[in-house]
Amino acid sequence: MIQLPLSKLSDVGTTIFSQMTQLANENEAINLSQGFPDYMPDPELLNYVDDFIKKGFNQYAPLGGMIGLKEEIARKIENSHQAVYHPDSEITVTAGGTQAIFTAIATFIKKDDEVVIFEPAYDCYEPTVELFGGLVKRFEMKAPDYNIDWNAVKNLISEKTKMIILNNPNNPSGRILNENDIQELIQLVKGTSILILSDEVYENIVFDGKQHLSICKYPELKERSLLVASFGKLFHVTGWKVGYCAAPKNLTDEFRKVHQFNVFCVNTPVQLALAEYMKNDEHYIHLNQFFQEKRDFLRNGLSGTSFELLDCEGTYFQAVKYDRISDKNDFDFASELTINHKVASVPFSSFYKQKRNDHVIRLCFAKKQETLEKALENLSKL
Protein backbone atom coordinates (compact mmCIF):
# COMPACT_ATOMS: atom_id res chain seq x y z
CA MET A 1 0.00 0.00 0.00
CA ILE A 2 1.35 3.43 -0.94
CA GLN A 3 2.35 5.63 1.97
CA LEU A 4 0.35 8.83 1.91
CA PRO A 5 1.95 12.22 2.56
CA LEU A 6 1.24 13.94 5.86
CA SER A 7 -2.36 15.18 6.01
CA LYS A 8 -2.82 18.94 5.77
CA LEU A 9 -5.91 18.66 7.96
CA SER A 10 -5.07 15.80 10.28
CA ASP A 11 -7.62 16.84 12.91
CA VAL A 12 -10.51 17.17 10.48
CA GLY A 13 -13.07 14.41 10.04
CA THR A 14 -16.66 14.28 8.80
CA THR A 15 -18.62 17.41 9.73
CA ILE A 16 -20.98 17.25 12.68
CA PHE A 17 -23.85 18.11 10.32
CA SER A 18 -23.20 15.00 8.24
CA GLN A 19 -22.75 12.89 11.36
CA MET A 20 -26.05 13.95 12.90
CA THR A 21 -27.92 13.66 9.61
CA GLN A 22 -26.60 10.11 9.16
CA LEU A 23 -27.62 9.27 12.72
CA ALA A 24 -31.07 10.74 12.03
CA ASN A 25 -31.43 8.63 8.89
CA GLU A 26 -30.29 5.46 10.66
CA ASN A 27 -32.81 6.00 13.44
CA GLU A 28 -35.65 7.42 11.33
CA ALA A 29 -35.50 10.57 13.40
CA ILE A 30 -36.82 14.04 12.57
CA ASN A 31 -33.83 15.95 11.26
CA LEU A 32 -33.59 19.35 12.94
CA SER A 33 -29.81 19.15 12.77
CA GLN A 34 -28.68 20.11 9.28
CA GLY A 35 -29.71 23.60 8.16
CA PHE A 36 -31.84 23.00 5.11
CA PRO A 37 -35.58 23.40 4.42
CA ASP A 38 -37.69 20.27 3.92
CA TYR A 39 -40.23 22.13 1.76
CA MET A 40 -40.21 23.15 -1.90
CA PRO A 41 -39.00 26.57 -3.09
CA ASP A 42 -41.31 28.86 -5.04
CA PRO A 43 -42.52 27.13 -8.28
CA GLU A 44 -42.04 30.44 -10.10
CA LEU A 45 -38.30 30.26 -9.45
CA LEU A 46 -38.18 26.62 -10.54
CA ASN A 47 -40.01 27.49 -13.75
CA TYR A 48 -37.46 30.21 -14.55
CA VAL A 49 -34.64 27.65 -14.27
CA ASP A 50 -36.51 25.25 -16.53
CA ASP A 51 -37.15 28.00 -19.07
CA PHE A 52 -33.53 29.09 -19.28
CA ILE A 53 -32.34 25.49 -19.62
CA LYS A 54 -34.76 24.90 -22.49
CA LYS A 55 -33.74 28.18 -24.13
CA GLY A 56 -30.18 26.86 -24.38
CA PHE A 57 -28.36 28.74 -21.62
CA ASN A 58 -26.34 25.70 -20.60
CA GLN A 59 -22.73 26.67 -21.17
CA TYR A 60 -20.09 28.53 -19.16
CA ALA A 61 -21.01 31.80 -17.51
CA PRO A 62 -18.48 34.66 -17.31
CA LEU A 63 -15.88 34.31 -14.54
CA GLY A 64 -17.46 36.96 -12.31
CA GLY A 65 -21.03 35.91 -12.96
CA MET A 66 -23.92 36.84 -15.26
CA ILE A 67 -24.22 40.60 -15.42
CA GLY A 68 -27.99 40.56 -14.93
CA LEU A 69 -27.64 38.74 -11.61
CA LYS A 70 -24.81 40.99 -10.45
CA GLU A 71 -26.93 44.04 -11.22
CA GLU A 72 -29.78 42.64 -9.12
CA ILE A 73 -27.38 41.86 -6.27
CA ALA A 74 -26.01 45.41 -6.39
CA ARG A 75 -29.55 46.80 -6.36
CA LYS A 76 -30.51 44.63 -3.39
CA ILE A 77 -27.44 45.70 -1.40
CA GLU A 78 -28.02 49.38 -2.13
CA ASN A 79 -31.71 49.17 -1.19
CA SER A 80 -31.02 47.16 1.96
CA HIS A 81 -27.82 48.75 3.25
CA GLN A 82 -27.38 52.02 1.34
CA ALA A 83 -24.03 50.77 0.05
CA VAL A 84 -22.97 50.92 -3.58
CA TYR A 85 -21.00 48.19 -5.35
CA HIS A 86 -20.18 48.24 -9.06
CA PRO A 87 -21.94 45.15 -10.49
CA ASP A 88 -19.21 44.18 -12.93
CA SER A 89 -16.04 44.90 -10.96
CA GLU A 90 -17.06 44.51 -7.30
CA ILE A 91 -19.48 41.55 -7.19
CA THR A 92 -18.53 37.94 -7.90
CA VAL A 93 -21.05 35.10 -8.10
CA THR A 94 -19.75 32.03 -6.28
CA ALA A 95 -20.65 28.36 -5.86
CA GLY A 96 -22.34 29.01 -2.54
CA GLY A 97 -21.29 31.01 0.49
CA THR A 98 -18.73 28.44 1.62
CA GLN A 99 -16.81 28.66 -1.66
CA ALA A 100 -16.73 32.42 -1.33
CA ILE A 101 -15.33 32.09 2.20
CA PHE A 102 -12.75 29.52 1.08
CA THR A 103 -11.67 31.70 -1.84
CA ALA A 104 -11.36 34.83 0.30
CA ILE A 105 -9.13 33.04 2.80
CA ALA A 106 -7.11 31.36 0.05
CA THR A 107 -6.58 34.73 -1.62
CA PHE A 108 -5.29 36.70 1.33
CA ILE A 109 -3.94 34.33 4.01
CA LYS A 110 -0.34 33.16 3.85
CA LYS A 111 1.87 31.17 6.19
CA ASP A 112 1.87 32.53 9.77
CA ASP A 113 -0.78 35.16 9.08
CA GLU A 114 -3.13 35.41 12.05
CA VAL A 115 -6.90 35.30 11.69
CA VAL A 116 -9.37 36.16 14.46
CA ILE A 117 -12.61 34.18 14.63
CA PHE A 118 -15.53 34.24 17.04
CA GLU A 119 -16.71 30.94 18.48
CA PRO A 120 -19.17 29.28 18.25
CA ALA A 121 -18.00 29.40 14.63
CA TYR A 122 -19.15 27.85 11.38
CA ASP A 123 -16.90 24.85 10.84
CA CYS A 124 -15.23 25.87 7.55
CA TYR A 125 -13.36 28.91 8.88
CA GLU A 126 -10.55 27.35 10.89
CA PRO A 127 -9.65 24.43 8.58
CA THR A 128 -9.43 26.76 5.59
CA VAL A 129 -7.14 29.18 7.44
CA GLU A 130 -4.93 26.26 8.50
CA LEU A 131 -4.90 24.83 4.98
CA PHE A 132 -3.10 27.96 3.81
CA GLY A 133 -0.69 28.11 6.74
CA GLY A 134 -2.52 30.71 8.78
CA LEU A 135 -2.90 30.76 12.55
CA VAL A 136 -6.32 31.06 14.17
CA LYS A 137 -6.90 33.28 17.20
CA ARG A 138 -10.22 32.50 18.86
CA PHE A 139 -12.57 34.54 20.99
CA GLU A 140 -15.10 32.34 22.79
CA MET A 141 -18.62 33.73 23.07
CA LYS A 142 -20.35 32.04 25.98
CA ALA A 143 -23.90 30.97 26.79
CA PRO A 144 -26.42 32.25 27.43
CA ASP A 145 -25.88 35.67 25.79
CA TYR A 146 -22.90 35.08 23.47
CA ASN A 147 -21.74 38.65 23.97
CA ILE A 148 -18.38 39.94 22.72
CA ASP A 149 -15.81 41.40 25.12
CA TRP A 150 -14.01 43.72 22.73
CA ASN A 151 -11.19 44.40 25.19
CA ALA A 152 -10.44 40.69 25.12
CA VAL A 153 -10.61 40.73 21.32
CA LYS A 154 -8.05 43.56 21.27
CA ASN A 155 -5.64 41.28 23.09
CA LEU A 156 -5.82 38.86 20.16
CA ILE A 157 -4.67 41.49 17.68
CA SER A 158 -0.99 41.65 16.75
CA GLU A 159 1.20 42.84 13.92
CA LYS A 160 0.57 39.48 12.28
CA THR A 161 -3.22 39.83 12.27
CA LYS A 162 -4.32 39.75 8.64
CA MET A 163 -8.04 39.08 8.86
CA ILE A 164 -11.08 39.06 11.16
CA ILE A 165 -13.90 36.67 10.25
CA LEU A 166 -17.40 37.64 11.33
CA ASN A 167 -20.62 35.67 11.06
CA ASN A 168 -23.58 38.01 11.43
CA PRO A 169 -26.22 36.78 12.24
CA ASN A 170 -24.25 34.08 13.99
CA ASN A 171 -24.74 30.40 13.27
CA PRO A 172 -25.40 28.64 15.64
CA SER A 173 -26.18 31.13 18.44
CA GLY A 174 -28.62 33.34 16.52
CA ARG A 175 -26.91 36.47 17.90
CA ILE A 176 -26.67 39.61 15.76
CA LEU A 177 -24.11 42.41 16.00
CA ASN A 178 -25.43 45.63 17.49
CA GLU A 179 -24.29 49.22 16.93
CA ASN A 180 -21.86 49.09 19.84
CA ASP A 181 -20.22 45.97 18.37
CA ILE A 182 -19.78 47.72 15.05
CA GLN A 183 -18.28 50.85 16.61
CA GLU A 184 -15.88 48.73 18.66
CA LEU A 185 -14.84 46.91 15.48
CA ILE A 186 -14.27 50.20 13.66
CA GLN A 187 -11.93 51.35 16.42
CA LEU A 188 -10.20 47.98 16.51
CA VAL A 189 -9.17 48.02 12.84
CA LYS A 190 -8.60 51.76 12.50
CA GLY A 191 -5.10 52.51 11.27
CA THR A 192 -4.39 48.87 10.42
CA SER A 193 -4.40 46.83 7.21
CA ILE A 194 -6.61 44.13 8.72
CA LEU A 195 -9.17 42.68 6.31
CA ILE A 196 -12.69 41.68 7.36
CA LEU A 197 -14.42 38.62 5.96
CA SER A 198 -18.08 39.10 6.82
CA ASP A 199 -20.26 35.99 6.47
CA GLU A 200 -23.79 37.41 6.22
CA VAL A 201 -25.67 34.50 4.69
CA TYR A 202 -28.55 34.96 7.17
CA GLU A 203 -28.83 38.72 6.63
CA ASN A 204 -32.51 38.52 5.65
CA ILE A 205 -33.47 36.36 8.62
CA VAL A 206 -33.53 38.80 11.56
CA PHE A 207 -36.42 38.96 14.03
CA ASP A 208 -38.51 41.15 16.31
CA GLY A 209 -38.09 44.29 14.23
CA LYS A 210 -34.33 44.35 14.73
CA GLN A 211 -32.06 45.52 11.93
CA HIS A 212 -29.25 43.60 10.32
CA LEU A 213 -26.17 45.82 10.44
CA SER A 214 -24.18 44.81 7.39
CA ILE A 215 -20.49 45.53 7.32
CA CYS A 216 -21.00 47.44 4.08
CA LYS A 217 -23.18 50.10 5.78
CA TYR A 218 -20.03 51.57 7.34
CA PRO A 219 -17.54 53.13 4.88
CA GLU A 220 -14.61 52.60 7.28
CA LEU A 221 -15.34 48.86 7.20
CA LYS A 222 -16.60 48.48 3.64
CA GLU A 223 -13.24 49.52 2.19
CA ARG A 224 -11.48 46.59 3.88
CA SER A 225 -14.25 43.97 3.79
CA LEU A 226 -15.34 41.01 1.73
CA LEU A 227 -19.07 40.48 2.22
CA VAL A 228 -20.42 36.97 1.61
CA ALA A 229 -24.08 36.05 1.10
CA SER A 230 -26.08 33.04 -0.08
CA PHE A 231 -29.09 32.45 -2.32
CA GLY A 232 -29.51 29.07 -0.66
CA LYS A 233 -30.63 30.80 2.52
CA LEU A 234 -32.52 33.56 0.72
CA PHE A 235 -34.70 31.39 -1.54
CA HIS A 236 -34.74 27.97 0.22
CA VAL A 237 -32.43 26.36 -2.37
CA THR A 238 -29.38 25.27 -0.37
CA GLY A 239 -28.63 22.50 -2.87
CA TRP A 240 -28.13 24.94 -5.73
CA LYS A 241 -24.95 26.24 -4.09
CA VAL A 242 -25.03 29.80 -5.41
CA GLY A 243 -23.82 32.80 -3.43
CA TYR A 244 -21.71 35.87 -3.95
CA CYS A 245 -18.88 38.00 -2.64
CA ALA A 246 -19.11 41.80 -2.70
CA ALA A 247 -15.89 43.76 -2.14
CA PRO A 248 -14.05 46.86 -3.35
CA LYS A 249 -12.41 46.47 -6.74
CA ASN A 250 -8.87 46.07 -5.41
CA LEU A 251 -9.98 43.16 -3.23
CA THR A 252 -12.25 41.70 -5.91
CA ASP A 253 -9.44 41.69 -8.46
CA GLU A 254 -7.36 39.49 -6.16
CA PHE A 255 -10.35 37.35 -5.15
CA ARG A 256 -11.10 36.52 -8.78
CA LYS A 257 -7.54 35.40 -9.45
CA VAL A 258 -8.17 32.50 -7.09
CA HIS A 259 -11.85 32.06 -7.95
CA GLN A 260 -11.03 31.38 -11.59
CA PHE A 261 -8.83 28.42 -10.70
CA ASN A 262 -11.25 27.08 -8.10
CA VAL A 263 -14.63 26.84 -9.85
CA PHE A 264 -14.09 29.51 -12.56
CA CYS A 265 -17.82 30.14 -12.91
CA VAL A 266 -21.23 29.15 -11.57
CA ASN A 267 -24.32 27.40 -13.00
CA THR A 268 -25.58 29.56 -15.90
CA PRO A 269 -29.35 28.85 -16.05
CA VAL A 270 -29.67 29.14 -12.27
CA GLN A 271 -27.93 32.54 -12.32
CA LEU A 272 -30.31 33.77 -15.00
CA ALA A 273 -33.31 32.43 -13.11
CA LEU A 274 -32.21 34.10 -9.88
CA ALA A 275 -31.72 37.40 -11.72
CA GLU A 276 -35.25 37.25 -13.13
CA TYR A 277 -36.76 36.23 -9.79
CA MET A 278 -34.97 39.01 -7.88
CA LYS A 279 -36.59 41.70 -9.99
CA ASN A 280 -39.57 41.35 -7.66
CA ASP A 281 -38.48 42.46 -4.17
CA GLU A 282 -41.54 40.79 -2.67
CA HIS A 283 -39.76 37.47 -3.15
CA TYR A 284 -37.41 38.18 -0.26
CA ILE A 285 -38.32 41.27 1.76
CA HIS A 286 -40.75 39.30 3.95
CA LEU A 287 -38.38 36.42 4.66
CA ASN A 288 -37.84 37.55 8.25
CA GLN A 289 -41.59 37.35 8.92
CA PHE A 290 -41.80 33.91 7.29
CA PHE A 291 -39.11 32.49 9.55
CA GLN A 292 -40.21 34.39 12.65
CA GLU A 293 -43.52 32.55 12.49
CA LYS A 294 -41.64 29.25 12.44
CA ARG A 295 -39.30 30.38 15.23
CA ASP A 296 -42.22 31.48 17.40
CA PHE A 297 -44.08 28.22 16.78
CA LEU A 298 -41.07 26.21 17.89
CA ARG A 299 -40.40 28.44 20.91
CA ASN A 300 -44.03 28.34 22.02
CA GLY A 301 -44.04 24.58 21.73
CA LEU A 302 -40.85 24.27 23.77
CA SER A 303 -41.94 26.74 26.45
CA GLY A 304 -43.79 24.04 28.33
CA THR A 305 -40.79 21.68 28.40
CA SER A 306 -37.69 21.56 30.59
CA PHE A 307 -35.54 23.05 27.83
CA GLU A 308 -34.30 26.61 28.44
CA LEU A 309 -34.79 28.79 25.37
CA LEU A 310 -31.89 31.09 24.54
CA ASP A 311 -32.38 34.30 22.57
CA CYS A 312 -32.72 33.91 18.82
CA GLU A 313 -32.27 37.26 17.07
CA GLY A 314 -31.58 35.81 13.62
CA THR A 315 -30.80 32.71 11.46
CA TYR A 316 -33.16 29.75 11.34
CA PHE A 317 -31.66 28.02 14.38
CA GLN A 318 -32.94 27.93 17.94
CA ALA A 319 -30.42 27.28 20.73
CA VAL A 320 -31.67 25.50 23.85
CA LYS A 321 -30.02 24.56 27.15
CA TYR A 322 -30.87 21.10 28.42
CA ASP A 323 -29.11 21.00 31.82
CA ARG A 324 -32.46 20.65 33.61
CA ILE A 325 -32.96 17.41 31.69
CA SER A 326 -29.49 15.81 31.65
CA ASP A 327 -25.93 16.35 32.83
CA LYS A 328 -24.45 14.50 29.84
CA ASN A 329 -22.12 16.35 27.50
CA ASP A 330 -23.85 17.86 24.52
CA PHE A 331 -22.65 15.31 21.94
CA ASP A 332 -23.89 12.38 24.02
CA PHE A 333 -27.16 14.16 24.77
CA ALA A 334 -27.73 15.00 21.09
CA SER A 335 -27.00 11.40 20.13
CA GLU A 336 -29.38 10.09 22.78
CA LEU A 337 -32.04 12.57 21.68
CA THR A 338 -31.74 11.27 18.12
CA ILE A 339 -31.75 7.57 18.98
CA ASN A 340 -34.29 7.47 21.80
CA HIS A 341 -36.54 10.45 21.11
CA LYS A 342 -36.21 10.63 17.30
CA VAL A 343 -35.20 14.28 17.02
CA ALA A 344 -31.77 15.16 15.62
CA SER A 345 -29.97 18.32 16.73
CA VAL A 346 -26.40 19.67 16.67
CA PRO A 347 -24.29 19.97 19.84
CA PHE A 348 -22.80 23.43 20.33
CA SER A 349 -19.41 22.00 21.37
CA SER A 350 -18.79 21.15 17.71
CA PHE A 351 -18.54 24.88 16.99
CA TYR A 352 -15.65 25.33 19.46
CA LYS A 353 -12.06 24.19 19.01
CA GLN A 354 -11.80 23.22 22.69
CA LYS A 355 -15.23 21.50 22.56
CA ARG A 356 -16.67 23.91 25.11
CA ASN A 357 -19.71 22.30 26.72
CA ASP A 358 -22.43 24.66 27.98
CA HIS A 359 -25.15 21.98 27.66
CA VAL A 360 -26.58 23.67 24.58
CA ILE A 361 -27.88 22.16 21.34
CA ARG A 362 -29.07 23.73 18.08
CA LEU A 363 -32.46 23.04 16.48
CA CYS A 364 -33.26 24.07 12.89
CA PHE A 365 -36.76 25.46 12.34
CA ALA A 366 -36.55 25.85 8.55
CA LYS A 367 -39.01 22.99 8.32
CA LYS A 368 -42.60 22.28 7.33
CA GLN A 369 -45.27 22.84 9.97
CA GLU A 370 -45.92 19.12 10.30
CA THR A 371 -42.21 18.45 10.80
CA LEU A 372 -42.04 20.95 13.66
CA GLU A 373 -45.26 19.61 15.16
CA LYS A 374 -43.92 16.06 15.21
CA ALA A 375 -40.59 17.20 16.67
CA LEU A 376 -42.38 19.11 19.44
CA GLU A 377 -44.54 16.08 20.21
CA ASN A 378 -41.37 14.03 20.75
CA LEU A 379 -39.50 16.71 22.68
CA SER A 380 -42.42 17.35 25.02
CA LYS A 381 -42.01 13.83 26.39
CA LEU A 382 -38.58 14.53 27.90
Side-chain angles (χ1 to χ4, degrees):
M1 181 181 293
I2 186 171
Q3 184 173 351
L4 295 176
L6 188 66
S7 173
K8 287 187 174 182
L9 297 173
S10 58
D11 294 334
V12 174
T14 306
T15 70
I16 189 64
F17 313 110
S18 297
Q19 291 179 51
M20 297 310 297
T21 291
Q22 181 178 343
L23 192 63
N25 293 338
E26 291 172 351
N27 290 275
E28 298 182 343
I30 300 161
N31 190 359
L32 302 190
S33 61
Q34 201 161 3
F36 61 84
D38 64 349
Y39 46 83
M40 289 291 287
D42 188 347
E44 182 181 349
L45 177 58
L46 303 182
N47 289 336
Y48 282 139
V49 177
D50 188 47
D51 289 344
F52 283 113
I53 289 173
K54 290 177 178 177
K55 288 177 181 177
F57 293 96
N58 300 300
Q59 308 310 322
Y60 295 123
L63 183 156
M66 301 298 289
I67 186 60
L69 179 56
K70 293 190 294 182
E71 288 173 344
E72 287 302 317
I73 292 169
R75 186 177 70 84
K76 178 181 182 298
I77 293 174
E78 185 170 7
N79 289 344
S80 300
H81 309 305
Q82 298 75 54
V84 175
Y85 288 94
H86 189 284
D88 207 33
S89 61
E90 297 186 316
I91 294 173
T92 306
V93 181
T94 62
T98 301
Q99 187 250 316
I101 292 164
F102 184 96
T103 299
I105 294 170
T107 301
F108 296 105
I109 298 305
K110 302 185 295 296
K111 189 177 186 305
D112 295 331
D113 284 342
E114 294 180 356
V115 178
V116 174
I117 69 171
F118 296 83
E119 295 183 327
Y122 181 50
D123 65 349
C124 82
Y125 303 153
E126 182 165 332
T128 308
V129 171
E130 292 178 345
L131 193 61
F132 293 96
L135 304 173
V136 174
K137 300 294 182 179
R138 306 170 196 86
F139 174 79
E140 286 191 356
M141 300 188 293
K142 302 172 184 178
D145 299 322
Y146 299 98
N147 289 325
I148 299 173
D149 179 348
W150 287 98
N151 286 325
V153 176
K154 289 176 185 176
N155 292 332
L156 299 177
I157 303 297
S158 75
E159 292 181 355
K160 293 183 177 181
T161 304
K162 186 64 174 287
M163 179 181 286
I164 296 172
I165 302 179
L166 301 172
N167 181 201
N168 179 35
N170 176 262
N171 169 21
S173 72
R175 184 188 188 277
I176 63 174
L177 296 182
N178 57 41
E179 186 64 33
N180 180 69
D181 291 319
I182 296 293
Q183 294 304 320
E184 291 279 5
L185 179 62
I186 289 172
Q187 292 304 311
L188 186 68
V189 299
K190 188 176 182 179
T192 75
S193 58
I194 296 172
L195 299 175
I196 296 171
L197 174 54
S198 189
D199 177 356
E200 302 184 20
V201 299
Y202 297 100
E203 64 170 326
N204 285 87
I205 311 175
V206 174
F207 308 128
D208 303 317
K210 294 182 179 179
Q211 183 182 11
H212 169 67
L213 301 180
S214 175
I215 214 76
C216 68
K217 290 176 67 74
Y218 303 85
E220 317 94 306
L221 300 179
K222 179 177 180 285
E223 66 180 8
R224 64 174 74 235
S225 295
L226 299 106
L227 184 158
V228 171
S230 165
F231 290 110
K233 307 300 187 295
L234 190 64
F235 295 133
H236 321 296
V237 288
T238 62
W240 290 8
K241 297 299 292 180
V242 182
Y244 57 89
C245 177
K249 185 178 184 302
N250 62 330
L251 299 181
T252 295
D253 287 346
E254 297 302 313
F255 179 93
R256 289 182 180 177
K257 289 178 185 179
V258 177
H259 173 75
Q260 70 179 329
F261 296 118
N262 189 350
V263 298
F264 180 73
C265 66
V266 177
N267 189 307
T268 301
V270 166
Q271 287 195 61
L272 292 169
L274 289 168
E276 193 67 29
Y277 192 67
M278 287 183 73
K279 290 179 181 178
N280 183 355
D281 296 354
E282 291 292 317
H283 287 144
Y284 59 83
I285 61 174
H286 303 297
L287 193 65
N288 54 357
Q289 179 181 342
F290 173 82
F291 278 116
Q292 181 163 335
E293 290 175 0
K294 292 184 176 294
R295 181 204 67 168
D296 291 350
F297 180 80
L298 180 64
R299 288 178 66 88
N300 289 338
L302 290 171
S303 63
T305 72
S306 295
F307 288 104
E308 178 186 347
L309 295 166
L310 303 188
D311 286 346
C312 175
E313 298 176 302
T315 76
Y316 45 54
F317 303 112
Q318 174 65 55
V320 297
K321 282 179 68 69
Y322 63 84
D323 52 349
R324 291 182 292 199
I325 299 172
S326 172
D327 60 1
K328 291 184 177 181
N329 68 57
D330 60 3
F331 181 83
D332 288 345
F333 179 79
S335 299
E336 180 183 274
L337 193 65
T338 306
I339 297 167
N340 296 336
H341 300 279
K342 307 304 179 185
V343 177
S345 60
V346 173
F348 257 51
S349 62
S350 60
F351 296 93
Y352 291 90
K353 178 68 172 179
Q354 301 303 324
K355 304 300 180 186
R356 179 186 181 85
N357 180 31
D358 290 319
H359 298 96
V360 179
I361 57 174
R362 188 195 80 174
L363 301 170
C364 176
F365 52 82
K367 306 296 177 182
K368 292 182 289 191
Q369 184 77 3
E370 53 264 40
T371 303
L372 296 176
E373 288 174 355
K374 180 60 179 175
L376 286 170
E377 180 183 340
N378 292 3
L379 294 171
S380 66
K381 296 174 184 177
L382 271 75

